[in-house]
Amino acid sequence: MFQLTEDQLTIQDVVRTYAQGPIKALADEIDKTGRFPEENIQGLVDLGILQLTIPEEYGGTGMDDEVAKCLAVSEVSKCCASTAEILDVHYLSTDILMRKGTPEQKAKYLPQAAQGKLGGFALTEPGAGSDAGGMKTRAVQDGDDYILNGTKCFISNLGPEEGNHFVVIAVTEPGIGTKGTTAFLVDRSMPGVSCGKTEDKMGIRGASVSELVLEDVRVPKTAILGQLGEGFKIAMMGLDGGRIGIAAQACGVAYGAIEEAVKYSGERVQFGKPINANQGLQWYLADMATRADAAWLLTLRAAALRQEGKPCTTEAAMAKWYAAEAACFCCDLALQIHGGYGYMKDYAIERMYRDARILRIYEGTSEVQKMVISRNLLK
């Protein structure tokens, strides 16, 4: 059995207490209005969770622990998947900066990130989703600067008011595919940077997702992350961590759905007995719990490997794929257990069912995860 450390258990307990209280209390209202959960994010800053892995010298908690991040994301996700997505994407952008940023870049952006100014990751474009090699955003050198033009879509942590800095992947050498891409750090405040269409989503409605529009954005060479031509490599490195984070989010949704199903099935009486006295329903719960635990163990394995600095691309893909499928499975059966009431917005499972569906799509679809797994097996 995977044993958590004392520090990890403390993080889990702190986040669980906060999530089950203030975060859960706001979840339905945030979903209905689609507003950004500013108070949730500030609360996570106050607890030291948003800045969990940022070194103390930059104002962070200094807990370099991939498993602890998963614990935080999963506990938040049990109660509000929107807040969990914001947290996870912030972790993703911070992780890339920590691993590939120069001392000057870290000194500029990490203190801002520690204060709750959100970071984002901009890879996807209207014509380049799973096929990252088809991206059109260009970065053309002009003396000691680069001029960026293009539009990124479905960018998390970007809304009319949200989003402070972004890791942007752009083409610097056309014609050679992903090897001709470079990663840049782009400030929201730079001239030419704007928020385009903000999407009206089916689920996770409190987490802003918008177009990032770049029009003649002038950035200095010092804004390059890593080396010229390393953009795709950096993106894939970041996505290993991002996929583990989404797996943790999915596990939280799955466990949250199970909690709702157990609670409702014990309260709902039909034919003179609680519906959880029926063996068929008990088997539903058994299927849900087993899949959720299997997903969680896959997630912890991937997180532990990444923490040790070992290759984890396959394991991250397995965790993300299986956990996303498990979350959708658990939410579907939990809604079935609720019967007609589960289809009504009076019950949390209706929101959770909608929230779960994106998990099989973003940070790489389930089909892309299977491609990653099979390709690595066949090498």
Side-chain angles (χ1 to χ4, degrees):
M1 183 64 183
F2 198 100
Q3 295 295 322
L4 299 178
T5 67
E6 185 175 338
D7 285 344
Q8 290 166 348
L9 287 169
T10 298
I11 291 294
Q12 184 180 44
D13 184 60
V14 167
V15 179
R16 178 180 293 159
T17 300
Y18 181 62
Q20 294 289 339
I23 288 180
K24 190 171 186 176
L26 287 173
D28 285 337
E29 187 260 325
I30 286 169
D31 174 70
K32 288 174 183 176
T33 62
R35 72 172 179 86
F36 177 74
E38 183 176 359
E39 55 270 69
N40 290 350
I41 301 306
Q42 185 57 53
L44 291 171
V45 172
D46 294 341
L47 291 171
I49 301 304
L50 195 81
Q51 65 273 44
L52 188 67
T53 59
I54 296 174
E56 292 181 9
E57 63 192 278
Y58 299 116
T61 309
M63 191 175 184
D64 179 20
D65 191 326
E66 294 287 333
V67 172
K69 287 196 296 186
C70 289
L71 292 168
V73 170
S74 66
E75 291 299 331
V76 172
S77 192
K78 286 179 186 177
C79 302
C80 179
S82 291
T83 304
E85 188 207 348
I86 295 166
L87 177 63
D88 184 53
V89 173
H90 187 68
Y91 280 159
L92 167 59
S93 65
T94 300
D95 177 74
I96 293 174
L97 182 56
M98 288 280 293
R99 291 171 182 264
K100 303 301 292 189
T102 64
E104 293 77 17
Q105 290 169 340
K106 292 177 183 179
K108 177 179 179 180
Y109 290 103
L110 288 179
Q112 296 177 19
Q115 293 166 10
K117 295 182 178 180
L118 296 175
F121 176 67
L123 174 65
T124 302
E125 298 182 7
S130 297
D131 178 18
M135 75 176 70
K136 303 296 184 184
T137 297
R138 289 288 311 277
V140 178
Q141 189 171 359
D142 182 26
D144 289 334
D145 298 331
Y146 279 84
I147 309 298
L148 275 63
N149 280 283
T151 299
K152 299 291 186 177
C153 66
F154 303 150
I155 306 305
S156 297
N157 288 359
L158 172 63
E161 303 296 332
E162 302 87 61
N164 181 66
H165 55 277
F166 301 89
V167 176
V168 176
I169 312 299
V171 177
T172 46
E173 188 174 351
I176 60 172
T178 55
K179 293 182 180 179
T181 62
T182 299
F184 295 87
L185 275 168
V186 176
D187 289 8
R188 173 70 176 269
S189 60
M190 287 178 170
V193 178
S194 64
C195 174
K197 177 187 178 185
T198 296
E199 305 294 345
D200 186 9
K201 305 186 303 299
M202 171 183 172
I204 52 170
R205 292 177 50 77
S208 296
V209 172
S210 307
E211 290 179 327
L212 177 64
V213 181
L214 307 165
E215 297 178 300
D216 293 329
V217 179
R218 181 176 292 273
V219 299
K221 283 183 180 179
T222 54
I224 291 176
L225 271 167
Q227 301 296 318
L228 200 66
E230 270 194 322
F232 185 73
K233 181 180 178 181
I234 289 172
M236 294 304 102
M237 175 205 73
L239 285 176
D240 279 348
R243 287 167 178 168
I244 294 169
I246 297 302
Q249 182 187 9
C251 288
V253 171
Y255 283 128
I258 292 169
E259 290 176 4
E260 293 296 325
V262 168
K263 179 175 180 287
Y264 181 83
S265 65
E267 297 171 346
R268 177 67 167 167
V269 176
Q270 290 286 274
F271 306 105
K273 60 184 179 181
I275 60 174
N276 64 13
N278 296 303
Q279 187 184 62
L281 190 148
Q282 293 170 3
W283 285 11
Y284 275 1
L285 294 174
D287 286 342
M288 294 159 69
T290 301
R291 294 198 191 199
D293 272 10
W296 184 231
L297 289 172
L298 283 170
T299 303
L300 291 177
R301 179 185 69 165
L305 285 172
R306 196 163 197 262
Q307 180 62 33
E308 294 168 7
K310 296 178 180 178
C312 63
T313 298
T314 300
E315 291 80 6
M318 286 179 174
K320 197 274 181 185
W321 165 60
Y322 191 83
E325 298 292 330
C328 289
F329 177 87
C330 290
C331 285
D332 184 61
L333 285 190
L335 194 150
Q336 189 72 16
I337 288 169
H338 279 70
Y341 288 110
Y343 201 67
M344 307 303 161
K345 291 186 180 292
D346 295 334
Y347 286 80
I349 193 59
E350 186 273 340
R351 164 176 51 82
M352 298 168 76
Y353 183 87
R354 289 183 286 105
D355 287 345
R357 190 57 183 85
I358 189 60
L359 295 164
R360 294 168 60 194
I361 298 172
Y362 64 9
E363 299 283 17
T365 64
S366 289
E367 292 74 19
V368 165
Q369 306 313 314
K370 290 182 181 182
M371 287 169 54
V372 171
I373 296 164
S374 59
R375 284 175 180 173
N376 285 331
L377 285 173
L378 294 170
K379 282 183 179 178

